[in-house]
Tab-separated table of all heavy atoms in Angstrom:
chain	number	residue	atom	x	y	z
A	1	LEU	N	0.832	-1.205	0.000
A	1	LEU	CA	0.011	0.000	0.004
A	1	LEU	C	0.861	1.260	0.001
A	1	LEU	O	0.513	2.264	-0.639
A	1	LEU	CB	-0.937	0.006	1.221
A	1	LEU	CG	-2.109	-0.971	1.187
A	1	LEU	CD1	-2.868	-0.920	2.499
A	1	LEU	CD2	-3.044	-0.635	0.023
A	2	VAL	N	1.966	1.207	0.725
A	2	VAL	CA	2.871	2.375	0.739
A	2	VAL	C	3.371	2.660	-0.667
A	2	VAL	O	3.422	3.833	-1.093
A	2	VAL	CB	4.049	2.130	1.709
A	2	VAL	CG1	5.113	3.216	1.565
A	2	VAL	CG2	3.548	2.065	3.150
A	3	GLU	N	3.757	1.610	-1.414
A	3	GLU	CA	4.199	1.807	-2.773
A	3	GLU	C	3.063	2.336	-3.667
A	3	GLU	O	3.277	3.146	-4.545
A	3	GLU	CB	4.757	0.505	-3.353
A	3	GLU	CG	6.078	0.085	-2.748
A	3	GLU	CD	6.849	-0.896	-3.626
A	3	GLU	OE1	6.504	-0.979	-4.842
A	3	GLU	OE2	7.781	-1.537	-3.123
A	4	ALA	N	1.855	1.850	-3.397
A	4	ALA	CA	0.708	2.317	-4.175
A	4	ALA	C	0.455	3.801	-3.936
A	4	ALA	O	0.213	4.565	-4.881
A	4	ALA	CB	-0.541	1.505	-3.813
A	5	VAL	N	0.509	4.192	-2.675
A	5	VAL	CA	0.278	5.601	-2.337
A	5	VAL	C	1.332	6.479	-3.016
A	5	VAL	O	1.061	7.581	-3.468
A	5	VAL	CB	0.322	5.791	-0.792
A	5	VAL	CG1	0.355	7.264	-0.439
A	5	VAL	CG2	-0.886	5.135	-0.150
A	6	ARG	N	2.563	5.966	-3.074
A	6	ARG	CA	3.650	6.748	-3.662
A	6	ARG	C	3.591	6.763	-5.196
A	6	ARG	O	3.915	7.780	-5.818
A	6	ARG	CB	4.994	6.150	-3.208
A	6	ARG	CG	6.194	6.978	-3.597
A	6	ARG	CD	7.452	6.531	-2.873
A	6	ARG	NE	7.768	5.133	-3.168
A	6	ARG	CZ	7.791	4.160	-2.269
A	6	ARG	NH1	7.510	4.428	-1.008
A	6	ARG	NH2	8.077	2.912	-2.596
A	7	GLY	N	3.170	5.648	-5.813
A	7	GLY	CA	3.289	5.555	-7.254
A	7	GLY	C	2.010	5.702	-8.066
A	7	GLY	O	2.042	6.148	-9.208
A	8	TRP	N	0.884	5.360	-7.489
A	8	TRP	CA	-0.354	5.377	-8.263
A	8	TRP	C	-0.837	6.745	-8.711
A	8	TRP	O	-1.491	6.839	-9.761
A	8	TRP	CB	-1.465	4.660	-7.484
A	8	TRP	CG	-1.323	3.168	-7.488
A	8	TRP	CD1	-0.206	2.449	-7.804
A	8	TRP	CD2	-2.331	2.206	-7.137
A	8	TRP	NE1	-0.440	1.096	-7.657
A	8	TRP	CE2	-1.734	0.920	-7.243
A	8	TRP	CE3	-3.649	2.313	-6.745
A	8	TRP	CZ2	-2.445	-0.237	-6.981
A	8	TRP	CZ3	-4.363	1.166	-6.465
A	8	TRP	CH2	-3.755	-0.102	-6.581
A	9	PRO	N	-0.589	7.802	-7.969
A	9	PRO	CA	-1.121	9.084	-8.465
A	9	PRO	C	-0.660	9.406	-9.875
A	9	PRO	O	-1.348	10.078	-10.640
A	9	PRO	CB	-0.550	10.095	-7.448
A	9	PRO	CG	-0.408	9.301	-6.197
A	9	PRO	CD	0.025	7.943	-6.657
A	10	ASP	N	0.558	8.925	-10.259
A	10	ASP	CA	1.074	9.221	-11.580
A	10	ASP	C	0.840	8.075	-12.576
A	10	ASP	O	0.808	8.281	-13.784
A	10	ASP	CB	2.599	9.485	-11.506
A	10	ASP	CG	2.901	10.665	-10.589
A	10	ASP	OD1	2.140	11.614	-10.613
A	10	ASP	OD2	3.898	10.579	-9.846
A	11	ASP	N	0.689	6.869	-12.093
A	11	ASP	CA	0.588	5.714	-12.989
A	11	ASP	C	-0.274	4.634	-12.340
A	11	ASP	O	0.215	3.641	-11.834
A	11	ASP	CB	2.004	5.168	-13.287
A	11	ASP	CG	1.965	4.052	-14.342
A	11	ASP	OD1	0.960	3.970	-15.070
A	11	ASP	OD2	2.940	3.276	-14.398
A	12	SER	N	-1.586	4.809	-12.410
A	12	SER	CA	-2.511	3.851	-11.803
A	12	SER	C	-2.606	2.619	-12.660
A	12	SER	O	-2.795	2.708	-13.885
A	12	SER	CB	-3.903	4.477	-11.642
A	12	SER	OG	-4.778	3.572	-11.044
A	13	PRO	N	-2.493	1.415	-12.088
A	13	PRO	CA	-2.510	0.189	-12.886
A	13	PRO	C	-3.936	-0.136	-13.381
A	13	PRO	O	-4.921	0.275	-12.789
A	13	PRO	CB	-2.020	-0.892	-11.901
A	13	PRO	CG	-2.418	-0.352	-10.564
A	13	PRO	CD	-2.275	1.133	-10.645
A	14	ARG	N	-3.995	-0.930	-14.456
A	14	ARG	CA	-5.298	-1.342	-14.975
A	14	ARG	C	-5.993	-2.297	-14.016
A	14	ARG	O	-7.213	-2.295	-13.901
A	14	ARG	CB	-5.117	-2.028	-16.337
A	14	ARG	CG	-4.616	-1.118	-17.441
A	14	ARG	CD	-4.496	-1.881	-18.735
A	14	ARG	NE	-4.004	-1.064	-19.830
A	14	ARG	CZ	-3.771	-1.492	-21.041
A	14	ARG	NH1	-4.008	-2.792	-21.338
A	14	ARG	NH2	-3.322	-0.689	-21.987
A	15	ASP	N	-5.191	-3.133	-13.346
A	15	ASP	CA	-5.738	-4.132	-12.441
A	15	ASP	C	-5.192	-3.879	-11.036
A	15	ASP	O	-4.166	-4.465	-10.634
A	15	ASP	CB	-5.362	-5.553	-12.908
A	15	ASP	CG	-5.899	-6.639	-11.974
A	15	ASP	OD1	-6.711	-6.314	-11.063
A	15	ASP	OD2	-5.478	-7.809	-12.148
A	16	PRO	N	-5.833	-2.977	-10.248
A	16	PRO	CA	-5.281	-2.607	-8.933
A	16	PRO	C	-5.088	-3.804	-8.007
A	16	PRO	O	-4.078	-3.906	-7.340
A	16	PRO	CB	-6.342	-1.647	-8.379
A	16	PRO	CG	-7.025	-1.096	-9.582
A	16	PRO	CD	-7.049	-2.224	-10.569
A	17	LYS	N	-6.067	-4.725	-8.012
A	17	LYS	CA	-5.945	-5.878	-7.131
A	17	LYS	C	-4.767	-6.754	-7.535
A	17	LYS	O	-3.964	-7.181	-6.692
A	17	LYS	CB	-7.231	-6.709	-7.137
A	17	LYS	CG	-7.159	-7.951	-6.239
A	17	LYS	CD	-8.447	-8.767	-6.297
A	17	LYS	CE	-8.297	-10.052	-5.485
A	17	LYS	NZ	-9.521	-10.888	-5.549
A	18	GLY	N	-4.646	-7.018	-8.818
A	18	GLY	CA	-3.540	-7.841	-9.293
A	18	GLY	C	-2.196	-7.207	-8.978
A	18	GLY	O	-1.251	-7.900	-8.601
A	19	TRP	N	-2.146	-5.866	-9.143
A	19	TRP	CA	-0.907	-5.159	-8.822
A	19	TRP	C	-0.545	-5.320	-7.347
A	19	TRP	O	0.593	-5.629	-6.999
A	19	TRP	CB	-1.062	-3.697	-9.180
A	19	TRP	CG	0.179	-2.855	-9.065
A	19	TRP	CD1	1.059	-2.549	-10.054
A	19	TRP	CD2	0.699	-2.240	-7.865
A	19	TRP	NE1	2.072	-1.779	-9.571
A	19	TRP	CE2	1.880	-1.570	-8.217
A	19	TRP	CE3	0.266	-2.193	-6.546
A	19	TRP	CZ2	2.636	-0.851	-7.300
A	19	TRP	CZ3	1.014	-1.492	-5.613
A	19	TRP	CH2	2.173	-0.832	-5.992
A	20	LEU	N	-1.545	-5.130	-6.488
A	20	LEU	CA	-1.302	-5.241	-5.058
A	20	LEU	C	-0.880	-6.664	-4.663
A	20	LEU	O	0.010	-6.850	-3.836
A	20	LEU	CB	-2.550	-4.829	-4.275
A	20	LEU	CG	-2.836	-3.327	-4.166
A	20	LEU	CD1	-4.201	-3.110	-3.508
A	20	LEU	CD2	-1.748	-2.633	-3.353
A	21	VAL	N	-1.536	-7.668	-5.245
A	21	VAL	CA	-1.183	-9.058	-4.957
A	21	VAL	C	0.265	-9.321	-5.345
A	21	VAL	O	1.049	-9.910	-4.572
A	21	VAL	CB	-2.133	-10.034	-5.673
A	21	VAL	CG1	-1.584	-11.464	-5.602
A	21	VAL	CG2	-3.529	-9.968	-5.058
A	22	THR	N	0.652	-8.881	-6.546
A	22	THR	CA	2.027	-9.122	-7.028
A	22	THR	C	3.064	-8.446	-6.119
A	22	THR	O	4.048	-9.076	-5.699
A	22	THR	CB	2.180	-8.593	-8.461
A	22	THR	OG1	1.266	-9.266	-9.326
A	22	THR	CG2	3.603	-8.793	-8.961
A	23	VAL	N	2.832	-7.181	-5.814
A	23	VAL	CA	3.810	-6.450	-4.997
A	23	VAL	C	3.832	-6.981	-3.563
A	23	VAL	O	4.905	-7.169	-2.965
A	23	VAL	CB	3.483	-4.926	-5.003
A	23	VAL	CG1	4.406	-4.176	-4.035
A	23	VAL	CG2	3.634	-4.387	-6.421
A	24	ALA	N	2.640	-7.263	-3.010
A	24	ALA	CA	2.590	-7.775	-1.638
A	24	ALA	C	3.264	-9.135	-1.535
A	24	ALA	O	3.965	-9.419	-0.553
A	24	ALA	CB	1.138	-7.835	-1.164
A	25	TRP	N	3.039	-10.003	-2.539
A	25	TRP	CA	3.691	-11.322	-2.487
A	25	TRP	C	5.194	-11.188	-2.566
A	25	TRP	O	5.931	-11.908	-1.886
A	25	TRP	CB	3.150	-12.184	-3.634
A	25	TRP	CG	3.690	-13.591	-3.615
A	25	TRP	CD1	4.557	-14.172	-4.516
A	25	TRP	CD2	3.417	-14.596	-2.642
A	25	TRP	NE1	4.809	-15.457	-4.163
A	25	TRP	CE2	4.141	-15.762	-3.009
A	25	TRP	CE3	2.635	-14.638	-1.480
A	25	TRP	CZ2	4.112	-16.936	-2.281
A	25	TRP	CZ3	2.597	-15.801	-0.741
A	25	TRP	CH2	3.321	-16.923	-1.132
A	26	ARG	N	5.678	-10.252	-3.397
A	26	ARG	CA	7.101	-10.006	-3.457
A	26	ARG	C	7.636	-9.518	-2.116
A	26	ARG	O	8.714	-9.956	-1.648
A	26	ARG	CB	7.427	-8.974	-4.548
A	26	ARG	CG	8.929	-8.810	-4.813
A	26	ARG	CD	9.207	-7.733	-5.841
A	26	ARG	NE	8.936	-6.410	-5.306
A	26	ARG	CZ	8.117	-5.532	-5.827
A	26	ARG	NH1	7.456	-5.823	-6.943
A	26	ARG	NH2	7.945	-4.336	-5.287
A	27	LYS	N	6.887	-8.639	-1.456
A	27	LYS	CA	7.289	-8.144	-0.134
A	27	LYS	C	7.326	-9.283	0.868
A	27	LYS	O	8.230	-9.363	1.699
A	27	LYS	CB	6.317	-7.061	0.334
A	27	LYS	CG	6.272	-5.811	-0.526
A	27	LYS	CD	7.498	-4.961	-0.321
A	27	LYS	CE	7.357	-3.637	-1.079
A	27	LYS	NZ	8.574	-2.804	-0.962
A	28	PHE	N	6.341	-10.160	0.768
A	28	PHE	CA	6.313	-11.296	1.698
A	28	PHE	C	7.530	-12.194	1.476
A	28	PHE	O	8.198	-12.620	2.448
A	28	PHE	CB	5.025	-12.093	1.464
A	28	PHE	CG	5.019	-13.427	2.162
A	28	PHE	CD1	4.905	-13.532	3.546
A	28	PHE	CD2	5.149	-14.601	1.405
A	28	PHE	CE1	4.941	-14.774	4.166
A	28	PHE	CE2	5.159	-15.837	2.029
A	28	PHE	CZ	5.055	-15.915	3.412
A	29	LEU	N	7.839	-12.513	0.229
A	29	LEU	CA	8.990	-13.384	-0.046
A	29	LEU	C	10.287	-12.726	0.410
A	29	LEU	O	11.186	-13.389	0.951
A	29	LEU	CB	9.055	-13.695	-1.544
A	29	LEU	CG	7.925	-14.553	-2.114
A	29	LEU	CD1	8.082	-14.744	-3.597
A	29	LEU	CD2	7.864	-15.910	-1.396
A	30	ASP	N	10.422	-11.414	0.225
A	30	ASP	CA	11.611	-10.696	0.696
A	30	ASP	C	11.741	-10.856	2.205
A	30	ASP	O	12.840	-11.054	2.734
A	30	ASP	CB	11.532	-9.220	0.319
A	30	ASP	CG	11.732	-9.000	-1.173
A	30	ASP	OD1	12.226	-9.910	-1.853
A	30	ASP	OD2	11.413	-7.890	-1.655
A	31	ALA	N	10.598	-10.712	2.896
A	31	ALA	CA	10.616	-10.816	4.360
A	31	ALA	C	11.005	-12.230	4.800
A	31	ALA	O	11.751	-12.425	5.771
A	31	ALA	CB	9.268	-10.423	4.954
A	32	VAL	N	10.470	-13.234	4.079
A	32	VAL	CA	10.811	-14.626	4.418
A	32	VAL	C	12.297	-14.886	4.223
A	32	VAL	O	12.964	-15.516	5.055
A	32	VAL	CB	9.972	-15.608	3.535
A	32	VAL	CG1	10.484	-17.020	3.693
A	32	VAL	CG2	8.503	-15.531	3.949
A	33	ARG	N	12.830	-14.397	3.071
A	33	ARG	CA	14.261	-14.596	2.842
A	33	ARG	C	15.108	-13.871	3.888
A	33	ARG	O	16.111	-14.419	4.364
A	33	ARG	CB	14.607	-14.080	1.428
A	33	ARG	CG	14.180	-15.028	0.315
A	33	ARG	CD	14.782	-14.623	-1.004
A	33	ARG	NE	14.181	-13.402	-1.521
A	33	ARG	CZ	13.132	-13.386	-2.353
A	33	ARG	NH1	12.618	-14.543	-2.768
A	33	ARG	NH2	12.642	-12.275	-2.785
A	34	ALA	N	14.696	-12.656	4.260
A	34	ALA	CA	15.432	-11.920	5.279
A	34	ALA	C	15.398	-12.638	6.625
A	34	ALA	O	16.392	-12.712	7.347
A	34	ALA	CB	14.842	-10.514	5.433
A	35	ASP	N	14.216	-13.221	6.935
A	35	ASP	CA	14.090	-13.950	8.192
A	35	ASP	C	14.948	-15.211	8.171
A	35	ASP	O	15.591	-15.581	9.163
A	35	ASP	CB	12.621	-14.307	8.438
A	35	ASP	CG	12.410	-14.969	9.813
A	35	ASP	OD1	12.691	-14.300	10.813
A	35	ASP	OD2	11.967	-16.108	9.843
A	36	ALA	N	14.970	-15.881	7.023
A	36	ALA	CA	15.794	-17.092	6.913
A	36	ALA	C	17.279	-16.751	7.060
A	36	ALA	O	18.034	-17.470	7.740
A	36	ALA	CB	15.549	-17.768	5.566
A	37	SER	N	17.690	-15.613	6.482
A	37	SER	CA	19.099	-15.200	6.629
A	37	SER	C	19.403	-14.885	8.083
A	37	SER	O	20.474	-15.240	8.586
A	37	SER	CB	19.351	-13.960	5.744
A	37	SER	OG	19.179	-14.276	4.397
A	38	ARG	N	18.458	-14.218	8.746
A	38	ARG	CA	18.674	-13.887	10.164
A	38	ARG	C	18.821	-15.162	10.982
A	38	ARG	O	19.689	-15.275	11.847
A	38	ARG	CB	17.510	-13.066	10.687
A	38	ARG	CG	17.606	-12.742	12.164
A	38	ARG	CD	16.370	-12.031	12.651
A	38	ARG	NE	15.159	-12.815	12.488
A	38	ARG	CZ	14.794	-13.791	13.297
A	38	ARG	NH1	15.559	-14.116	14.334
A	38	ARG	NH2	13.687	-14.469	13.082
A	39	ARG	N	17.946	-16.147	10.706
A	39	ARG	CA	18.023	-17.399	11.440
A	39	ARG	C	19.357	-18.127	11.225
A	39	ARG	O	19.928	-18.706	12.146
A	39	ARG	CB	16.854	-18.315	11.052
A	39	ARG	CG	15.510	-17.810	11.530
A	39	ARG	CD	14.392	-18.728	11.110
A	39	ARG	NE	13.094	-18.203	11.487
A	39	ARG	CZ	12.546	-18.348	12.680
A	39	ARG	NH1	13.202	-19.025	13.629
A	39	ARG	NH2	11.358	-17.832	12.957
A	40	ARG	N	19.848	-18.087	9.957
A	40	ARG	CA	21.142	-18.719	9.684
A	40	ARG	C	22.261	-18.033	10.472
A	40	ARG	O	23.155	-18.703	10.998
A	40	ARG	CB	21.445	-18.683	8.174
A	40	ARG	CG	20.648	-19.707	7.380
A	40	ARG	CD	21.221	-19.866	5.977
A	40	ARG	NE	21.109	-18.634	5.191
A	40	ARG	CZ	20.039	-18.333	4.454
A	40	ARG	NH1	19.004	-19.164	4.421
A	40	ARG	NH2	20.028	-17.214	3.761
A	41	ARG	N	22.192	-16.701	10.552
A	41	ARG	CA	23.204	-15.968	11.317
A	41	ARG	C	23.118	-16.360	12.783
A	41	ARG	O	24.151	-16.512	13.470
A	41	ARG	CB	23.016	-14.459	11.144
A	41	ARG	CG	23.373	-13.951	9.767
A	41	ARG	CD	23.488	-12.439	9.757
A	41	ARG	NE	22.273	-11.756	10.159
A	41	ARG	CZ	21.303	-11.403	9.321
A	41	ARG	NH1	21.433	-11.680	8.024
A	41	ARG	NH2	20.216	-10.796	9.744
A	42	GLU	N	21.885	-16.482	13.303
A	42	GLU	CA	21.729	-16.857	14.702
A	42	GLU	C	22.253	-18.257	14.968
A	42	GLU	O	22.884	-18.522	16.007
A	42	GLU	CB	20.248	-16.773	15.093
A	42	GLU	CG	19.705	-15.352	15.141
A	42	GLU	CD	18.210	-15.300	15.413
A	42	GLU	OE1	17.572	-16.385	15.385
A	42	GLU	OE2	17.685	-14.205	15.656
A	43	GLU	N	22.014	-19.166	14.000
A	43	GLU	CA	22.502	-20.542	14.177
A	43	GLU	C	24.026	-20.577	14.184
A	43	GLU	O	24.653	-21.335	14.941
A	43	GLU	CB	21.977	-21.422	13.061
A	43	GLU	CG	20.479	-21.702	13.182
A	43	GLU	CD	19.918	-22.348	11.936
A	43	GLU	OE1	20.676	-22.542	10.956
A	43	GLU	OE2	18.701	-22.658	11.919
A	44	LEU	N	24.669	-19.734	13.355
A	44	LEU	CA	26.128	-19.657	13.356
A	44	LEU	C	26.659	-19.125	14.683
A	44	LEU	O	27.648	-19.627	15.217
A	44	LEU	CB	26.602	-18.760	12.218
A	44	LEU	CG	26.446	-19.338	10.788
A	44	LEU	CD1	26.802	-18.292	9.750
A	44	LEU	CD2	27.301	-20.576	10.622
């Protein structure tokens, strides 16, 4: 939503829901990878 607030006023997507799902899923995967990296550091 933060990215939407920042970017949509100039370039609103044709499929707002699809755009949000794509960006949110990418954010989720980034968070999962970051958490996995943190856990590996903790294990070390």
